[in-house]
Protein backbone atom coordinates (compact mmCIF):
# COMPACT_ATOMS: atom_id res chain seq x y z
CA UNK A 1 0.00 0.00 0.00
CA UNK A 2 1.28 3.46 -0.92
CA UNK A 3 0.25 6.41 1.21
CA UNK A 4 0.61 10.10 0.60
CA UNK A 5 -0.46 13.34 2.15
CA UNK A 6 -1.61 16.39 0.22
CA UNK A 7 -2.33 19.86 1.46
CA UNK A 8 -5.59 20.85 -0.17
CA UNK A 9 -6.12 24.20 -1.74
CA UNK A 10 -9.40 25.74 -0.74
CA UNK A 11 -10.38 27.24 -4.08
CA UNK A 12 -12.24 30.35 -3.04
CA UNK A 13 -11.96 32.41 0.15
CA UNK A 14 -14.02 35.57 0.57
CA UNK A 15 -13.72 37.73 3.69
CA UNK A 16 -16.31 40.42 4.42
CA UNK A 17 -15.90 42.83 7.31
CA UNK A 18 -18.44 45.56 8.03
CA UNK A 19 -19.47 47.52 11.09
CA UNK A 20 -22.24 45.02 11.76
CA UNK A 21 -20.71 41.66 10.77
CA UNK A 22 -17.53 39.67 10.06
CA UNK A 23 -17.90 36.79 7.60
CA UNK A 24 -15.74 34.26 5.77
CA UNK A 25 -16.92 32.14 2.85
CA UNK A 26 -14.83 29.11 1.85
CA UNK A 27 -15.37 26.76 -1.08
CA UNK A 28 -15.04 23.35 0.61
CA UNK A 29 -17.04 21.38 -1.96
CA UNK A 30 -14.28 18.74 -2.17
CA UNK A 31 -14.86 17.76 1.48
CA UNK A 32 -17.69 15.90 3.16
CA UNK A 33 -19.53 17.82 5.91
CA UNK A 34 -18.33 15.37 8.58
CA UNK A 35 -14.70 16.09 7.53
CA UNK A 36 -14.96 19.81 8.42
CA UNK A 37 -14.46 21.48 11.81
CA UNK A 38 -14.81 25.07 13.00
CA UNK A 39 -13.33 25.93 16.39
CA UNK A 40 -12.95 29.17 18.30
CA UNK A 41 -10.51 29.79 21.15
CA UNK A 42 -10.44 33.33 22.47
CA UNK A 43 -10.45 35.52 19.36
CA UNK A 44 -8.87 32.87 17.09
CA UNK A 45 -11.10 30.96 14.63
CA UNK A 46 -9.66 27.74 13.19
CA UNK A 47 -11.27 25.98 10.23
CA UNK A 48 -9.98 22.54 9.29
CA UNK A 49 -10.85 19.87 6.79
CA UNK A 50 -9.36 16.41 6.40
CA UNK A 51 -10.27 13.35 4.39
CA UNK A 52 -8.75 10.07 3.28
CA UNK A 53 -9.44 8.28 0.01
CA UNK A 54 -8.44 4.70 -0.64
CA UNK A 55 -8.23 3.31 -4.15
CA UNK A 56 -7.79 -0.30 -5.21
CA UNK A 57 -7.26 -3.40 -3.09
CA UNK A 58 -4.39 -5.49 -1.80
CA UNK A 59 -0.93 -4.81 -3.23
CA UNK A 60 -2.25 -2.27 -5.76
CA UNK A 61 -4.07 0.01 -3.33
CA UNK A 62 -3.22 3.57 -2.47
CA UNK A 63 -4.30 5.91 0.30
CA UNK A 64 -4.42 9.66 -0.17
CA UNK A 65 -4.86 12.10 2.73
CA UNK A 66 -5.99 15.64 1.96
CA UNK A 67 -6.23 18.40 4.55
CA UNK A 68 -6.28 22.15 5.13
CA UNK A 69 -6.15 24.50 8.10
CA UNK A 70 -7.15 28.17 8.03
CA UNK A 71 -6.81 30.52 11.02
CA UNK A 72 -8.41 33.92 11.40
CA UNK A 73 -8.40 36.49 14.20
CA UNK A 74 -11.81 37.89 15.05
CA UNK A 75 -11.86 41.68 14.70
CA UNK A 76 -12.71 44.05 17.52
CA UNK A 77 -16.35 43.94 18.52
CA UNK A 78 -16.98 40.27 17.70
CA UNK A 79 -18.16 38.08 20.56
CA UNK A 80 -16.70 34.58 20.05
CA UNK A 81 -19.80 33.09 21.72
CA UNK A 82 -21.90 34.48 18.84
CA UNK A 83 -19.84 32.80 16.09
CA UNK A 84 -21.86 30.52 13.79
CA UNK A 85 -21.20 28.42 10.70
CA UNK A 86 -23.32 27.01 7.90
CA UNK A 87 -22.57 24.76 4.93
CA UNK A 88 -24.79 25.35 1.90
CA UNK A 89 -25.73 22.88 -0.85
CA UNK A 90 -23.06 24.30 -3.19
CA UNK A 91 -20.28 23.38 -0.73
CA UNK A 92 -19.64 26.88 0.59
CA UNK A 93 -18.84 27.08 4.30
CA UNK A 94 -19.98 30.40 5.76
CA UNK A 95 -18.55 31.40 9.14
CA UNK A 96 -19.88 34.65 10.58
CA UNK A 97 -19.99 36.71 13.74
CA UNK A 98 -22.04 39.83 14.48
CA UNK A 99 -20.10 42.89 15.58
CA UNK A 100 -22.31 44.16 18.37
CA UNK A 101 -19.55 46.04 20.12
CA UNK A 102 -17.94 47.70 17.12
CA UNK A 103 -16.45 51.04 18.08
CA UNK A 104 -16.40 53.86 15.56
CA UNK A 105 -13.62 55.79 17.28
CA UNK A 106 -13.47 57.72 20.50
CA UNK A 107 -16.75 59.12 21.71
CA UNK A 108 -17.14 62.50 23.35
CA UNK A 109 -17.84 62.52 27.03
CA UNK A 110 -18.49 65.58 29.18
CA UNK A 111 -16.43 65.55 32.34
CA UNK A 112 -17.69 67.67 35.16
CA UNK A 113 -14.91 69.48 36.99
CA UNK A 114 -14.89 70.61 40.59
CA UNK A 115 -14.10 74.11 41.84
Amino acid sequence: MISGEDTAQVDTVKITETGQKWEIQLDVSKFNPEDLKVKVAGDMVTITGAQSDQFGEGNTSSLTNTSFTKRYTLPTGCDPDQLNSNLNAQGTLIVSCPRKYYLYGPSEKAIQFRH
Side-chain angles (χ1 to χ4, degrees), residues 17-18 21-22 43 72-79 97 99 102:
E17 188 175 331
T18 67
K21 180 173 71 168
W22 174 84
D43 65 349
Y72 303 94
T73 302
L74 287 172
T76 303
C78 287
D79 180 358
C97 189
R99 293 183 81 175
Y102 187 71

Side-chain angles (χ1 to χ4, degrees), residues 10-63:
V10 177
D11 295 333
T12 305
V13 178
K14 180 181 175 187
I15 301 172
T16 306
E17 188 175 331
T18 67
Q20 291 77 36
K21 180 173 71 168
W22 174 84
E23 180 177 277
I24 293 180
Q25 296 181 17
L26 299 158
D27 177 5
V28 292
S29 56
K30 297 175 184 172
F31 292 85
N32 295 319
E34 60 272 9
D35 297 329
L36 300 167
K37 292 182 183 175
V38 178
K39 296 180 183 178
V40 64
D43 65 349
M44 183 65 63
V45 178
T46 304
I47 304 168
T48 58
Q51 66 182 10
S52 296
D53 295 313
Q54 185 166 357
F55 303 98
E57 293 180 16
N59 292 334
T60 60
S61 67
S62 69
L63 177 66

Side-chain angles (χ1 to χ4, degrees), residues 68-115:
F68 75 90
T69 300
K70 299 273 188 190
R71 289 185 179 89
Y72 303 94
T73 302
L74 287 172
T76 303
C78 287
D79 180 358
D81 292 333
Q82 299 296 314
L83 189 79
N84 65 54
S85 63
N86 295 299
L87 182 63
N88 67 22
Q90 292 76 34
T92 302
L93 178 65
I94 302 168
V95 180
S96 62
C97 189
R99 293 183 81 175
K100 295 181 181 181
Y101 310 111
Y102 187 71
L103 300 176
Y104 292 98
S107 59
E108 289 187 24
K109 181 178 178 183
I111 306 291
Q112 189 174 29
F113 59 92
R114 298 176 194 246
H115 295 73

